[in-house]
Each structure stands twice: as structure tokens, then as C-alpha cells.
Amino acid sequence: MSDKTRFLLDETEMPTAWYNVQADLPVPIAPSLDADGNPMGPEQLAVLFPMECIMQEVSQERYIDIPGAVLDVFKTYRPSPVIRAKQLERVLGLPAGVKIFYKYEGVSPAGSHKPNTAIPQAYYNKLEGITKISTETGAGQWGSALSIAGALFGIDVEVFMVKVSYEQKPYRRALMETYGASVHASPTNLTAAGRHVLSMDPDSTGSLGIAISEAVEVAATHDDTHYSLGSVLNHVCLHQTIIGLEAVKQMELAEEEPDVVIGCVGGGSNFAGIAFPYYHRRLNGRSKARLVAVEPKACPSLTAGEFRYDFGDEAKLTPQMEMYTLGHDFVPAGIHAGGLRYHGESPLVSALVRSGDVEAVAVHQVASFEAAVQFARAEGILPAPESSHAIRVAIDEALAAKEAGEDKTVLFNLSGHGHFDLSAYEAFNAGKLQDYDFAAGATLCEPE
Amino acid sequence: MSDKTRFLLDETEMPTAWYNVQADLPVPIAPSLDADGNPMGPEQLAVLFPMECIMQEVSQERYIDIPGAVLDVFKTYRPSPVIRAKQLERVLGLPAGVKIFYKYEGVSPAGSHKPNTAIPQAYYNKLEGITKISTETGAGQWGSALSIAGALFGIDVEVFMVKVSYEQKPYRRALMETYGASVHASPTNLTAAGRHVLSMDPDSTGSLGIAISEAVEVAATHDDTHYSLGSVLNHVCLHQTIIGLEAVKQMELAEEEPDVVIGCVGGGSNFAGIAFPYYHRRLNGRSKARLVAVEPKACPSLTAGEFRYDFGDEAKLTPQMEMYTLGHDFVPAGIHAGGLRYHGESPLVSALVRSGDVEAVAVHQVASFEAAVQFARAEGILPAPESSHAIRVAIDEALAAKEAGEDKTVLFNLSGHGHFDLSAYEAFNAGKLQDYDFAAGATLCEPE
């Protein structure tokens, strides 16, 4: 075992192909259906997405090459480090045989894993001659990542930001605008969908569903414009596998095989990123790692949802996908981990949970923040509230091993830093956060 | 020349000693004086600082070992990368012979270079049995870095935050509190200095001078408490030289010798960090790099100040130091680069400007933000407003070489990211920023 703290890869060691888990699923995922229940073909999606992403959505090839121009941009911040949490291990009083490692995606220019898919999506759109990408954003993380990617490849980005967030989070908006994006408070007068909402309620503060409708409409009605999604879909999960492909190499440098690999799940892409390459490694007999997806108890699609066809959005504009879902009209309680407030779950992650290859666990908000603060005070890095769910389980796994007198190596994905989430920490410090239990009935709330 | 983008060092290649420029100054710096004009001895400073820092303040040894416990913490985020700004070079249309590299300190847990000195300062205090460190902060960058360092070494941190910032920037306060620091809105009732101010003006919104007085008083009146400063002093500049020592190795990996090394200056420590090791390399005949310190035109101590003894603070509580100064009672205009709003300049940087070994240049705020946005849209990273001053000059140096048909390799220090400075970018995007020219008379303003 190496006694080093950080395990780095040179850019020459960066993976040059993504890992496509569809090649290795125990049961293939069911086809996406349109609103009438008919299987969807590529041509129906081409109005929204570049053909390369559509083909990745259904590809059964195990490895898909990362374009050179995408690798060139990745080199400005990737490979990201794997860090052994030595200070946290000390604070937890772990014995020598219990170790915690984390892959840190907060080093990206957006401070999260989101650029890993925003960059290739922008590139593929550029190749097709698309000049504008529309998208929706709630708190702004995805909008920021896509704005950066658009700036890098010279594509305009038009963001429909839920009005209540637009007004409450002017700094997130400023970030997107600095990268050159146009940001609108949704509902707007720019689309039929927005005008319809405003005609019913001129004071509407918007919702993610309305913002999606507006972004999709803009793409569907302009030949030079496409739409982009930051999670859930197969090609998004594919793009995030660079996280785990790097981590496998870095853990080899550390001379450790993880016993458990942990990530938080909302739409599922950062978990897919760290976990799918370890799933493949397990199939090859080179790993015995348990794969643990951590969701919030306020929005527990994997542990309390149904596995069935459902729409990806409240407005039923997306295809129907077979996945774990709480229902497309479910409105999660207002936890601060806005990125985990999603009613469904990536079909790929759902398939592996259903097959028993991935474990799912749900944790409470306050316990996650407690873990985040313990981590921050030991390791220095302030985690994003989403990532804190993974930290909670990583600490619990390590303490359980200590208690049982067993050796264990824990690896988790620290998907982003919390420098944009200080209002959440402020509330936690003031003792104002509360837990929401799905089983006890969801609490309706404003969108994040 | 290497064609790579990022130049990384393994933790085993991290420098294990700081470079002390005092061993190589053309003229030694003058001794610090007390308020009566008498040279100060170590014993007068021992009430405020650990003896190790006091000895570093006057040491003439060329290299000073970095303690192992400090290196262990550095390994969680250092060595920081040197990145070739290939996307920016492309946007600027630079010929093959003109190259831009940057050292990126925004990867630290605080998002800036400040932990490089906060961590050793906390460690040296811990060794002396100190249980609390007091400090002042304006916008919160230094307070955050010291709070992180205190958490890592188990030392309480008490921050006197200028009241107007405390009220206007609750997120910066939340960050410090999350790391366990106590943060007070200064003036407080906790100190005689604070009570005196409040007795004169119960509604005082505070000032950095008052906050310094309170922090110093707490340290001076409690045996278990010391005080800490984040810039200006010799030991702080010493600690920051790890930046340049790493960069020298990384530029060797890039097979490039910079023709010009650039950093922004407020108190001077991040510039000292990148530049002093290149000054030494020049003395050894291995470099011909020009060293350029960039200050704001609104606060141009190096280009418009006098070289003389002056106090380090408005309240005349610090020793008098020989340096370039605009006068300790000078109040800079309210530019957004709060870290550059300092009336004086590190005595070490001042000495090298006076000897002609370092060039100084002043730039305007709006031009700096223009450079920052151009950089962000090309490289992805949003720069801190302070660092943007260095970017302005780096771009100008590159464009001048292109214009002249000359080869040039530019290296600058990107001292921090701008994720905490989005209000400044919001103002810039809205066209609301203005320039302040010192020569035309300073504009009084609220502290940042």
C-alpha cells in the first residue's frame, strides 16, 4: 500500500474512451417510449439532440472514443485527483486497516462534475453546425457548466432559469452571464409555453417543469438550436464514466482495491461516473467492490419508488423511460441538495439497482450536513450538499468496519465543492435545517 | 518544448524548504521600528506571534525547512498545477512562439493562496501551546483561510469582521463559522478598543483599522492567544514561496523558461510567492525573467507611493516598516479587488522594486475585468478580481510580443478563483463598474 495522500494522473494517462455499461447489463434496458407509448426512433430526438448523443443513447459498444477536441479541453482540469482522507481518518480514530479515499470533481471550472458532459455535448452540437443550445436550470449548477462549455466552443447558450431562483440567486445568474449565456426568468414571453403560463398567472414564480417546456420549445422551433440535459440520460452517464475510469487507475497507484464505492444520486450521473467502471471491473473479477447509491430520504426514488415507465419531467415532454420513480408529478421537500430533488432515476442506474448489482440507501439532510462539516474541518474542502450524502455513508461504512474490527477501503465521489451553497451551511449552523421523511408524507415547497 | 497542457508535480516532488529572499537582497531591508522609532526586538513581538515566525521575520538563511506536519496538510491540495493557457492563446491569435502559462492557486480549500501561510502559522502556534488565534478580516478571504487552518490543527479562531461586511456578506461569515471559527461584527463590546468606538458612535459600521485593534488587543491580553496576519510581513512572503518553487520545477517540465513572471500586489505575498524563486534563479544565471508586480491604479503604492517608514495599519498598532506607501491613513477607492486595497506594500517586494529588480505597473479595474472575462470564456476558470490584474498584464505582454513579431513565454500567478466575487462580475456585466485614478484624487468609500 502506498503511503501517499494524493494520487494524480498525467494528462497522457487520461482515459481516451468512455465506458458504456449498456454492453454489460444483466438485462438490457427497455426502449424509451413516446407520449403515446410507442418506441422512439432517433429521428424523433434529432430535433433536440446531436446525432452522436442519440446514437450513444442506444449504443451497445463497450468503449466509445472521446473526441480529441474534448480531451484537449478536459486537460485544463482533468484528470481530477484521488485523495486519501488521512486527516479525516485521524479524526475518526480509524485503525490502520480502514481507509477512506475520495475522487474530487470540485476542481472543474464549474466546481462540480457537470462540465464532464457539458463539454462533449457542446462539441457534438458544434460539429453539427448548431449555433445555440437551450436548457433549463434550477439553482444554476447545470446552467453554469453548459455556459462554460458554450463559451469554449463558441456556441450561444440560452438558459431558462426558474424565476424564483433567478430572483433569489443573482450570483448564479451572474456566473452564467459572465460566460456569455443569455439567462431568462422563466416563465417568459419568449415561448408559447411561457406565455400560456403567464396568461393564467402573471405572477407565476415558475417551476423546473415550465422551464423545461420553454427550453424544449425553443430548440424544437429553431433549426439552429438544440436542447441539452445534464443528467439522467444514457449518454450523460456515459460521459461521466471518465470519473471512475480515472479512479480505477488512481486506486491502482494507491495499491488499493476499494471494498465499497459510494456516490450520491439525483438523476444518477455522478454515481454512474464513479460506479460503472467498478461494475465492469467486478465482472472481470478484478474487484469485489460493493456499489452504493445514496439518495435523500426526502426524495427516495430507489428505496421507495416503483420500477416502471414514467416521464422524465412533470410536463410529460420527455420520452417515457423505465426507471425507479416517485411519479413525475412528485414534488420533493425543499432540501438544500437541490441536485438530488428528482422524482426519477437514470434508467441505467435503475437497471443495476433492480438486478441487485447496486445497493441503494437513503439518508437524512441533517446527518448529511453533520458529515459534511466533519469532513470540511478535517480535510479543508467544503463539500456540496449533494456530495455530503455520499460522505455520510462513507463515514458510516468506515465506522462500522472499525466497530467490527474489520479492514475496509472506502472510495467515494466528492462531486463538487460547496462554495455556491453557503446559504445552506448558514441555515445548518443556525440549527434551522430539518429532515423530511418521504414515508411520513412529502412536504411541498418552492423549487430550489 | 512540451506540448502538454497541465504540468503536475507528485507530492514527493513538493519543495520541502521555503526560499528566503533576505539571503539575496541587494540591500538588506531596514529594521522594523516601534511607535517611538526604536528598533523592535523579538520579545516585543512574542506577545502576538509564535517565535518561529518572529525568527523567520529576520532570518538571513536562504532556505528554511517546511515542517513535516505542514507538508502533510499541503498534500491535500498541493502541488498546485501549472497550466498552459492554450485556449486563451488560440482566442488571442498568438503565434507559436508566444505562450502563456499560469500557476493556479484556486485549487486550495479556500479557493486562494492564503492557506499557504495560514497552515504553517497555525502549526507554529499549536507547537507553542497557543489555543486561540485572533485576526481581522474585511471581505473574509483571510478569515476563511485561517479558519480552515485552525480547524485542521485544533486551534480556536476568533475573527473580527468589519461590521458592514459582516452584515452584507453573510455567506463569507457562514464559511468561517462552518469551519468552527467565532466571527464577531466589529466594533464589539468584547474589547476596550471596540467599546471605546461604540461609546463614541453606537452605530459604527466598523473599519479594518478598528478590527485590527480588537484582534491585537485580544491577543495582547490573553496568554493563550496569538494574532495572525495574512500578508505584508516577511514570514508570510516566505511561506508563499512554495508557489514559485513549484512553478520553477513545472516550467522545467514544460521545457520553458519564462521571459516574464507576473503577479498582482496588495500586501505583496502572492507576488512574492511566484516571483522570489525566479529572482533567485536569475541571480544564478538560469533565468532572465522580468518580474512584474501589478497593482490597481486606484491604490498604486509602488508606482505612485513614497519609499519611507510607515505604519502597516491606519491605527498605528503595527511596527513601522520601510516600504512604498500611500500613507497609513490613505483610504483607497472601492474597487472590487478588495485584497489589493492596501496603502503600503511588503518591505521585501518594496526593496526589490527600489533596487530595480522588480518592475511595477498599475492597471485600471474595468480593463482587469475585461481580461478576466476573456480568460474565463477561453480557459473556463473564473478568476478572482485581484488575480485579474495579473491576467490583464499577461495578455498585454503576449499581445505586445505578437505585435513586435517576437517570441515570449509569459507566466502569471492565478492566485484564486472568483466564485466568492460574483457580485463584482454582476456589476461588471451590468456596465456599472468605474475606474478610479489615484492621480485624480482618491474616492472615499465603504470598506469592502
Side-chain angles (χ1 to χ4, degrees), chain B residues 371-432:
Chain B
V373 170
Q374 189 169 40
F375 180 86
R377 293 182 182 183
E379 293 291 312
I381 299 169
L382 188 79
E386 291 82 358
S387 319
S388 303
H389 288 70
I391 298 175
R392 175 73 274 159
V393 173
I395 290 175
D396 290 347
E397 287 277 346
L399 291 176
K402 173 189 176 186
E403 186 73 20
E406 294 168 356
D407 287 352
K408 189 185 281 185
T409 297
V410 176
L411 170 66
F412 73 89
N413 192 30
L414 185 58
S415 57
H417 69 56
H419 291 174
F420 294 122
D421 301 285
L422 286 164
S423 62
Y425 281 95
E426 186 183 31
F428 174 73
N429 294 339
K432 288 183 183 163

Side-chain angles (χ1 to χ4, degrees), chain A residues 67-353:
Chain A
V70 171
L71 288 172
D72 283 347
V73 174
F74 280 171
K75 287 173 186 170
T76 61
Y77 72 93
R78 301 204 72 84
S80 67
V82 162
I83 304 171
R84 179 159 169 205
K86 287 185 178 177
Q87 315 289 336
L88 179 63
E89 292 174 4
R90 179 179 52 74
V91 168
L92 296 175
L94 300 183
V98 184
K99 300 155 204 153
I100 301 176
F101 293 80
Y102 57 98
K103 177 76 168 165
Y104 185 38
E105 291 294 309
V107 295
S108 89
S112 78
H113 64 293
K114 293 286 186 188
N116 298 337
T117 186
I119 291 164
Q121 288 194 49
Y123 170 74
Y124 289 129
N125 276 298
K126 182 75 175 180
L127 275 194
E128 287 197 5
I130 291 297
T131 59
K132 186 192 281 190
I133 303 175
S134 65
T135 198
E136 72 287 341
T137 201
Q141 282 285 17
W142 169 244
S144 303
L146 193 65
S147 299
I148 292 170
L152 291 171
F153 287 109
I155 295 184
D156 291 341
V157 173
E158 188 164 12
V159 181
F160 291 86
M161 187 172 187
V162 179
K163 187 183 272 180
V164 62
S165 296
Y166 182 93
E167 288 169 352
Q168 288 178 357
K169 297 178 187 280
Y171 294 169
R172 304 260 193 151
R173 171 163 51 92
L175 182 61
M176 293 182 268
E177 289 173 344
T178 300
Y179 287 109
S182 307
V183 185
H184 310 296
S186 167
T188 74
N189 274 311
L190 301 171
T191 67
R195 285 189 295 270
H196 176 70
V197 172
L198 290 172
S199 72
M200 312 289 282
D201 176 10
D203 298 324
S204 167
T205 55
S207 72
L208 210 51
I210 296 166
I212 291 174
S213 304
E214 294 206 274
V216 167
E217 179 182 326
V218 165
T221 55
H222 293 81
D223 283 347
D224 58 353
T225 302
H226 270 165
Y227 170 73
S228 178
L229 257 181
S231 193
V232 182
L233 299 181
N234 303 344
H235 68 277
V236 178
C237 293
L238 173 77
H239 298 161
Q240 293 295 354
T241 59
I242 193 166
I243 298 172
L245 292 166
E246 288 177 2
V248 164
K249 290 189 183 192
Q250 289 164 305
M251 292 304 289
E252 284 179 347
L253 292 177
E255 299 165 36
E256 293 282 350
E257 276 299 327
D259 297 296
V260 55
V261 175
I262 301 164
C264 65
V265 286
S269 72
N270 101 77
F271 173 78
I274 189 101
F276 287 179
Y278 273 102
Y279 169 76
H280 183 231
R281 194 168 173 84
R282 218 167 53 182
L283 293 182
N284 287 344
R286 301 183 67 185
S287 168
K288 295 180 177 171
R290 295 161 47 219
L291 309 175
V292 180
V294 188
E295 60 187 10
K297 284 211 177 185
C299 192
S301 54
L302 292 173
T303 56
E306 291 178 67
F307 185 80
R308 62 173 171 86
Y309 269 105
D310 195 8
F311 292 96
D313 68 314
E314 188 192 355
K316 304 202 228 179
L317 283 166
T318 69
Q320 299 186 66
M321 299 169 283
E322 197 176 46
M323 61 181 176
Y324 283 98
T325 177
L326 298 165
H328 63 267
D329 54 356
F330 173 72
V331 180
I335 57 170
H336 284 274
L340 307 187
R341 295 175 68 241
Y342 183 63
H343 70 275
E345 186 58 57
S346 143
L348 293 172
V349 173
S350 293
L352 289 173
V353 169

